[in-house]
PDB file of all heavy atoms in Angstrom:
ATOM      1  N   SER A   9      -4.868  18.314   3.153  1.00  0.00           N
ATOM      2  CA  SER A   9      -6.078  18.275   3.888  1.00  0.00           C
ATOM      3  C   SER A   9      -7.224  18.905   3.102  1.00  0.00           C
ATOM      4  O   SER A   9      -6.942  19.826   2.354  1.00  0.00           O
ATOM      5  CB  SER A   9      -5.975  18.859   5.189  1.00  0.00           C
ATOM      6  OG  SER A   9      -5.809  20.268   5.122  1.00  0.00           O
ATOM      7  N   SER A  31      -3.442   6.260 -17.331  1.00  0.00           N
ATOM      8  CA  SER A  31      -3.870   4.928 -16.857  1.00  0.00           C
ATOM      9  C   SER A  31      -2.666   3.985 -16.890  1.00  0.00           C
ATOM     10  O   SER A  31      -2.748   2.956 -16.108  1.00  0.00           O
ATOM     11  CB  SER A  31      -5.036   4.384 -17.873  1.00  0.00           C
ATOM     12  OG  SER A  31      -4.491   4.346 -19.160  1.00  0.00           O
ATOM     13  N   TYR A  94       5.320   3.036 -11.308  1.00  0.00           N
ATOM     14  CA  TYR A  94       6.184   3.365 -12.407  1.00  0.00           C
ATOM     15  C   TYR A  94       6.952   2.116 -12.841  1.00  0.00           C
ATOM     16  O   TYR A  94       7.944   1.765 -12.163  1.00  0.00           O
ATOM     17  CB  TYR A  94       7.172   4.430 -11.932  1.00  0.00           C
ATOM     18  CG  TYR A  94       6.486   5.782 -11.617  1.00  0.00           C
ATOM     19  CD1 TYR A  94       5.905   5.938 -10.366  1.00  0.00           C
ATOM     20  CD2 TYR A  94       6.342   6.795 -12.518  1.00  0.00           C
ATOM     21  CE1 TYR A  94       5.262   7.096  -9.957  1.00  0.00           C
ATOM     22  CE2 TYR A  94       5.757   7.997 -12.139  1.00  0.00           C
ATOM     23  CZ  TYR A  94       5.176   8.199 -10.975  1.00  0.00           C
ATOM     24  OH  TYR A  94       4.574   9.286 -10.556  1.00  0.00           O
ATOM     25  N   LYS A 105      -5.864  14.179   4.323  1.00  0.00           N
ATOM     26  CA  LYS A 105      -6.750  14.067   5.442  1.00  0.00           C
ATOM     27  C   LYS A 105      -8.016  14.669   5.078  1.00  0.00           C
ATOM     28  O   LYS A 105      -8.169  15.838   4.890  1.00  0.00           O
ATOM     29  CB  LYS A 105      -6.088  14.758   6.752  1.00  0.00           C
ATOM     30  CG  LYS A 105      -7.126  14.832   7.861  1.00  0.00           C
ATOM     31  CD  LYS A 105      -7.479  13.517   8.446  1.00  0.00           C
ATOM     32  CE  LYS A 105      -8.353  13.735   9.628  1.00  0.00           C
ATOM     33  NZ  LYS A 105      -8.940  12.411  10.108  1.00  0.00           N
ATOM     34  N   LEU A 109     -17.329  17.769   7.746  1.00  0.00           N
ATOM     35  CA  LEU A 109     -17.719  18.738   8.754  1.00  0.00           C
ATOM     36  C   LEU A 109     -18.776  19.737   8.195  1.00  0.00           C
ATOM     37  O   LEU A 109     -18.451  20.342   7.170  1.00  0.00           O
ATOM     38  CB  LEU A 109     -16.482  19.529   9.312  1.00  0.00           C
ATOM     39  CG  LEU A 109     -16.619  20.333  10.541  1.00  0.00           C
ATOM     40  CD1 LEU A 109     -17.139  19.511  11.726  1.00  0.00           C
ATOM     41  CD2 LEU A 109     -15.356  20.980  10.806  1.00  0.00           C
TER      42      LEU A 109
END
Side-chain angles (χ1 to χ4, degrees):
Chain A
S9 64
S31 58
Y94 297 83
K105 169 65 177 169
L109 190 61

